[in-house]
Amino acid sequence: LIEALRANRIDFAWLPPFSYVKAEEMADAKVLLKAVRHGHATFYSCIITRADKGIKTVADLKGKNMAWVDPTSTSGHIFPKANLMTKFHIADPDKYFAKQIFAGSHDSLVLSVFNGTVDAGATFCNNPDGSDGAWNLYLKTPEEQKKIHVVYVTDPITGDTMATTNKFYKENKELVDELTKVL
């Protein structure tokens, strides 16, 4: 999407937070709209585990297997890992965790935690108390959902954005403003 914006092959893109930062840097992107979840323009990242693993705190994660969504996922990698490094002074996650993997998607990560393939994983959640998140979407029954324990919730993360480039906006201000208003 960033390359397509930069090359003027597309005029609008829905971008997750980290991708927007890169698009602003590489394609001179301009935010038009921000996604709203449950009435808020922010969301969170949670580190989750199975409730029966005995992992209750970030300190309990030391020496465990950790899953991330993918390297560019804001809530599934970048933000929670940065929080661990800054708020919990984990200087080197490669040494803190026994093993780290990328699950590829939020649903795969939730299932990896649920099935015990990994000890813990980072995924999105919708509120600061961690009561609603990816596990509620991908685990269908209340019994399954209760098997997930939230170890840590990050600070708020700005939501996804709809963006265009500043160049396109300047050349098509009326069109962009009307589309933004309609959406």
Side-chain angles (χ1 to χ4, degrees):
L1 287 175
I2 296 167
E3 287 303 317
L5 273 174
R6 187 164 77 163
N8 300 314
R9 288 194 317 262
I10 62 171
D11 301 316
F12 301 96
W14 286 103
L15 299 166
F18 179 70
S19 294
Y20 173 75
V21 170
K22 297 306 286 178
E24 186 179 45
E25 185 180 288
M26 297 172 64
D28 194 27
K30 172 185 179 58
V31 170
L32 301 173
L33 297 168
K34 286 173 63 174
V36 175
R37 295 177 186 212
H38 304 284
H40 301 283
T42 59
F43 68 111
Y44 302 83
S45 174
C46 292
I47 295 177
I48 61 172
T49 187
R50 276 186 62 104
D52 59 6
K53 285 273 189 186
I55 299 170
K56 302 294 181 207
T57 67
V58 170
D60 296 335
L61 293 170
K62 188 170 185 172
K64 304 294 188 206
N65 295 329
M66 180 71 182
W68 310 102
V69 171
D70 75 49
T72 63
S73 174
T74 303
S75 63
H77 182 242
I78 296 167
F79 213 77
K81 189 179 252 184
N83 266 223
L84 291 176
M85 295 170 78
T86 58
K87 292 187 179 271
F88 294 94
H89 309 291
I90 298 171
D92 188 351
D94 291 336
K95 292 180 182 173
Y96 193 78
F97 300 111
K99 181 179 176 184
Q100 297 177 79
I101 65 155
F102 289 106
S105 63
H106 289 278
D107 58 333
S108 294
L109 183 131
V110 169
L111 292 174
S112 294
V113 170
F114 180 76
N115 292 326
T117 308
V118 295
D119 297 310
T123 189
F124 69 86
C125 56
N126 296 315
N127 51 29
D129 67 5
S131 62
D132 180 34
W135 56 96
N136 296 104
L137 183 61
Y138 302 120
L139 301 175
K140 298 301 180 191
T141 68
E143 294 77 27
E144 290 176 335
Q145 294 166 5
K146 287 179 186 172
K147 292 183 180 181
I148 297 298
H149 169 72
V150 175
V151 176
Y152 173 66
V153 179
T154 67
D155 292 334
I157 304 167
T158 191
D160 295 345
T161 62
M162 187 184 90
T164 189
T165 62
N166 278 302
K167 179 180 184 246
F168 187 82
Y169 181 75
K170 287 175 188 167
E171 293 171 356
N172 302 279
K173 184 178 181 334
E174 287 181 26
L175 170 70
V176 173
D177 289 346
E178 184 64 26
L179 178 65
T180 303
K181 181 181 171 185
V182 168
L183 290 174

